[in-house]
Amino acid sequence: MVICAWLRNDLRVHDNVVLHEAARLAAQRKVPVVPVYVFDPRYFQRTRYKTLRTGSLRALFLLQSVLALKRRLRRRGSDLLIKVGKPEKVLPPLLSSNSVLLTQQEVTSPELTIDSWVRLAMEERRIPQSQWRYCWGSTLFHKDDIGLQQGFDDVPEFFSKFLHGLQKVWPRNSEDWDETTRDGNVCPELSTISSLVRPPLPKLETGDLRMTLTLLSSEGMDFEPSWKDLPFPEKVVEPVVDDALMGGEEEGLKRLSDYLWKTDFASTYYPERQLIFGDYQASRLGPWLSLGNLSPRKVFQECLRFCEHHGNDDADPRTKHARRLITELTWRDFFRFYAGKHGSSIFEPGGPKSYRKDWMQDERIFQLWSNGRTGYPLVDACMRELSITGYTSNHARMNAASFLACSMSFDWRRGANWFESHLIDYDVTSNWCNWVRCAGLTESRLSSFNVVRQSQKFDPMGLYLRRWLPELQEVPPELIHEPWLMTSEELVRYGASAYPQPCVDPSFFEGPYGPRTGWAMVPQSLYK
C-alpha cells in the first residue's frame, strides 16, 4: 500500500497541498508516499493547426522544473518517480486496492477527461473510487472559502463583481490571513516530514537534463516529431539559458525575492511607468506560477511582508505596486473559476456566450501576425519577442491578441493556440479566458486596443520596439510608432525600407475613440 501523490501543475515543495495531504495520510497509516510526475504524450503532439502543443522553450522550462523538484525531494529523503506515457496507463499499476491516489483538482475539460480515464482504469483494477482524492491548491483563494464548495455556477461574469465578492474575506495583513482561510489551507514547508521515503526509480539518478531527454526518448514517448527532432537550439541541450527564466522552485523563489526587494518601484509603479514593455515591465513570475514552482499564496504573503516593511503606506508607490501584484493574482483566480463555470465553451469559436461571427481563416494572414510582419511595430515586437524568448508582457500580448481578433477579424482560437505553444508561462485558464475577452466574447464591453496609441503612450521613445525590430533601429521616436508615415527618402535614410507596410488600413485606428467596429481587409500585396 502506498500514498501516490500525482503532481502536475504543482511542482514545488512549499505550500503544496497534495504533498501535505499525502504526508498526513502516510503518517496516519504508516505507509510510504510516492510522488510521481507523468509526461503525457498528448501534451507534446501537434495540434490541428500543425503547431507543437508544447513548444521547445516551454518544454525546456518544464523539464527544468521537474528535475528541480526531484532534487529538492531527494534532499528531504524522498524522490520523484518520473514516468512517461498516458496517466491512465502508468498510474494504476503503481497502486494496490488499498492505495490512495492524490492529485490537484483541475477545471478544464482536457484535464478532467484524463482524470475520468484514470478513475475508470482504477475501477478496472478493482481499486475503489474512494481511493481517488482531489486537493485544491492552484489559486490564491480556496474555492471553499468564497462560496464555491458545490461548484462554479455562482462565479460572476465580471472581474469587478468577483473582486467585490471577495471583500469579506480579503485579508488586510498577514495576521488576518490565517483567520480568514480554512485550517490547513496554507501548507507548511515540507522540510521535516519523515514519512516520504525513496520510491523505486527509473534509471535516471543524476537529475541531468541530457539523461532526461534520453530517458524520455527510450521510454517510447509518442512525439510528433520525436524529442531528438524538437527544435531545441544546440546550446539548449544542456540547461544554458537566461538565468531569469530557469525552471524550478528555487529559481522562482529567487525571482520573487529579487522583484519585490531589489526593484525600484518608485519609478516602475503601474500607472506612472512609461517603459511598460521593458525588462521590469512586469513581475515575470508567470512561468513559475503556471507550473506551480511558486504558490500564489507564497507570493501573496511575501507581498504582505513587503507592505508591512514599508509601513502599509497607501501613498507609497512601493506598497501600491505590491498590492497591484495581489490584484493580478486575483485575476488569475478569476480566470480559473470562470473556466470551471463555462467548461469547454472557452475553447469554442463563439466563446462562453456562443456568439455567432464569421472569423477569417486565411493562413497567409495568420503568418503575418505570427511572424511579426503586420507593419504595426508594437504587435510585431511582441510576436518576435515571443518567438525568440517564449515570453512577452501581459500588456503586450493583450495588444497582439486584440489586433488579431478585432482588427484583423481572424479566428482567435488560432492565436490562443499559438500562445499555448510558445508561452513559457502558459496557463490554460488564463490564456484561453484572456483570448475570449480580447475577442469580445464575454458579457463585458469589448476591450479593443488601439495598438498605435498604446505604443505611443507606454513606449514613447520606442525602446521596446528597437529592441525587437532591427529594421527600425534608426527611426526617430516621432515616426517609429507609425512607420507608414515616412516618405521614401526617410525610409532609405533611416534604413527602414525592409519593414513591411501595415496589413490593416491605419485609418482603422483613427478617431477619438480608437478602433472602429467592422472589417479591415488585408492588402493582397502583403500575401507575397
Side-chain angles (χ1 to χ4, degrees):
M1 178 182 175
V2 298
I3 306 297
C4 182
W6 176 24
L7 302 175
R8 297 193 275 186
N9 293 322
D10 48 353
L11 302 179
R12 64 180 182 273
V13 173
H14 75 271
D15 191 28
N16 189 317
V17 66
V18 173
L19 289 178
H20 189 63
E21 178 65 10
R24 186 188 68 80
L25 288 175
Q28 183 183 80
R29 304 186 183 189
K30 298 183 175 4
V31 296
V33 173
V34 180
V36 182
Y37 184 85
V38 181
F39 284 96
D40 188 336
R42 288 168 293 215
Y43 288 94
F44 297 88
Q45 296 173 344
R46 292 192 177 273
T47 70
R48 58 177 173 172
Y49 302 114
K50 308 304 180 184
T51 57
L52 285 168
R53 186 173 179 184
T54 301
S56 58
L57 291 174
R58 186 155 74 90
L60 175 63
F61 196 86
L62 171 61
L63 285 170
Q64 293 168 344
S65 298
V66 171
L67 293 177
L69 177 61
K70 181 181 179 69
R71 290 191 294 270
R72 285 180 73 84
L73 286 172
R74 293 180 78 175
R75 287 200 293 266
R76 286 161 172 76
S78 181
D79 212 322
L80 181 67
L81 179 61
I82 300 174
K83 302 291 286 184
V84 178
K86 297 178 179 179
E88 62 270 24
K89 299 293 185 182
V90 302
L91 289 175
L94 300 176
L95 309 173
S96 69
S97 59
N98 293 324
S99 297
V100 175
L101 177 60
L102 295 168
T103 191
Q104 183 171 270
Q105 184 176 351
E106 299 295 333
V107 297
T108 45
S109 52
E111 287 70 30
L112 293 177
T113 299
I114 292 174
D115 289 354
S116 66
W117 288 337
V118 173
R119 290 198 298 269
L120 180 61
M122 291 173 60
E123 185 177 339
E124 291 175 349
R125 296 179 68 90
R126 300 183 183 278
I127 302 175
Q129 288 294 306
S130 60
Q131 304 303 90
W132 165 280
R133 299 189 185 181
Y134 269 137
C135 301
W136 186 269
S138 57
T139 56
L140 175 60
F141 290 96
H142 195 288
K143 65 182 182 65
D144 292 351
D145 295 328
I146 56 176
L148 301 178
Q149 298 94 327
Q150 305 303 319
F152 303 105
D153 291 343
D154 294 331
V155 175
E157 293 295 309
F158 306 102
F159 175 72
S160 58
K161 290 185 178 180
F162 175 74
L163 190 61
H164 179 74
L166 294 176
Q167 297 303 314
K168 294 181 179 179
V169 295
W170 189 273
R172 298 298 180 184
N173 53 56
S174 58
E175 286 75 18
D176 291 336
W177 176 244
D178 289 337
E179 298 173 3
T180 56
T181 54
R182 298 184 310 112
D183 293 337
N185 196 31
V186 180
C187 303
E189 185 86 14
L190 302 180
S191 57
T192 58
I193 292 180
S194 59
S195 57
L196 292 174
V197 299
R198 191 181 184 90
L201 294 173
K203 296 179 180 179
L204 178 63
E205 288 292 334
T206 65
D208 178 76
L209 181 59
R210 186 187 297 276
M211 290 186 65
T212 305
L213 294 171
T214 303
L215 171 70
L216 295 175
S217 177
S218 66
E219 290 277 338
M221 177 67 90
D222 184 21
F223 286 126
E224 292 185 15
S226 68
W227 272 103
K228 182 179 179 181
D229 298 324
L230 275 174
F232 284 107
E234 290 185 5
K235 293 182 180 180
V236 174
V237 174
E238 295 292 343
V240 181
V241 295
D242 184 355
D243 288 342
L245 288 175
M246 284 282 288
E249 182 177 5
E250 290 180 346
E251 293 294 333
L253 292 170
K254 179 178 181 297
R255 172 62 185 177
L256 174 61
S257 177
D258 288 349
Y259 178 66
L260 282 177
W261 299 100
K262 297 181 181 180
T263 303
D264 180 16
F265 291 123
S267 62
T268 59
Y269 170 57
Y270 180 81
E272 288 82 24
R273 66 185 183 224
Q274 291 186 326
L275 301 180
I276 192 171
F277 305 113
D279 288 337
Y280 265 98
Q281 82 285 6
S283 68
R284 288 183 179 254
L285 296 175
W288 294 282
L289 282 168
S290 65
L291 289 180
N293 296 165
L294 270 179
S295 159
R297 288 187 288 265
K298 179 71 172 180
V299 178
F300 173 79
Q301 291 173 336
E302 192 69 7
C303 286
L304 290 184
R305 191 167 73 88
F306 179 86
C307 291
E308 291 170 358
H309 178 77
H310 293 286
N312 282 316
D313 184 1
D314 291 339
D316 191 329
R318 295 167 296 187
T319 301
K320 290 181 179 179
H321 201 99
R323 290 176 179 172
R324 177 71 192 186
L325 183 54
I326 292 174
T327 302
E328 295 302 325
L329 291 175
T330 311
W331 266 106
R332 184 174 173 273
D333 279 17
F334 172 68
F335 284 140
R336 186 159 293 271
F337 296 135
Y338 185 88
K341 175 180 180 178
H342 291 289
S344 61
S345 65
I346 64 170
F347 306 110
E348 298 299 327
K353 303 304 174 184
S354 300
Y355 290 140
R356 298 176 62 89
K357 183 173 181 179
D358 293 327
W359 300 102
M360 294 183 68
Q361 302 285 348
D362 196 312
E363 176 68 21
R364 297 169 295 180
I365 297 176
F366 181 77
Q367 292 301 320
L368 296 176
W369 180 82
S370 60
N371 292 328
R373 303 286 297 172
T374 66
Y376 284 86
L378 175 55
V379 177
D380 293 343
C382 170
M383 298 309 297
R384 295 189 196 184
E385 180 187 21
L386 174 60
S387 296
I388 294 170
T389 69
Y391 189 88
T392 187
S393 72
N394 182 63
H395 199 78
R397 69 184 70 173
M398 289 184 69
N399 273 272
S402 174
F403 185 85
L404 181 71
C406 298
S407 303
M408 300 180 76
S409 295
F410 199 86
D411 189 344
W412 65 275
R413 296 173 300 165
R414 186 73 187 277
N417 175 267
W418 186 262
F419 276 19
E420 176 175 351
S421 177
H422 288 79
L423 281 173
I424 292 178
D425 66 342
Y426 170 76
D427 175 271
V428 58
T429 59
S430 295
N431 180 67
W432 285 87
C433 291
N434 247 324
W435 270 94
V436 164
R437 289 178 62 239
C438 289
L441 301 177
T442 66
E443 289 184 347
S444 59
R445 67 180 179 85
L446 176 62
S447 299
S448 180
F449 285 82
N450 185 324
V451 296
V452 177
R453 293 189 179 184
Q454 290 278 306
S455 182
Q456 292 169 336
K457 179 179 179 181
F458 293 112
D459 186 26
M461 301 304 296
L463 300 180
Y464 174 72
L465 304 183
R466 290 188 181 86
R467 182 175 183 180
W468 300 107
L469 305 175
E471 309 99 307
L472 303 181
Q473 283 284 344
E474 304 301 324
V475 178
E478 62 269 18
L479 291 173
I480 195 170
H481 305 284
E482 299 175 281
W484 54 86
L485 297 180
M486 287 188 284
T487 64
S488 300
E489 292 77 13
E490 288 173 327
L491 286 171
V492 174
R493 184 191 314 160
Y494 300 125
S497 301
Y499 190 69
Q501 290 296 309
C503 66
V504 173
D505 188 343
S507 65
F508 180 75
F509 295 98
E510 295 176 358
Y513 303 107
R516 298 189 298 270
T517 58
W519 285 70
M521 300 304 293
V522 178
Q524 290 289 330
S525 60
L526 293 179
Y527 288 161
K528 298 178 182 179

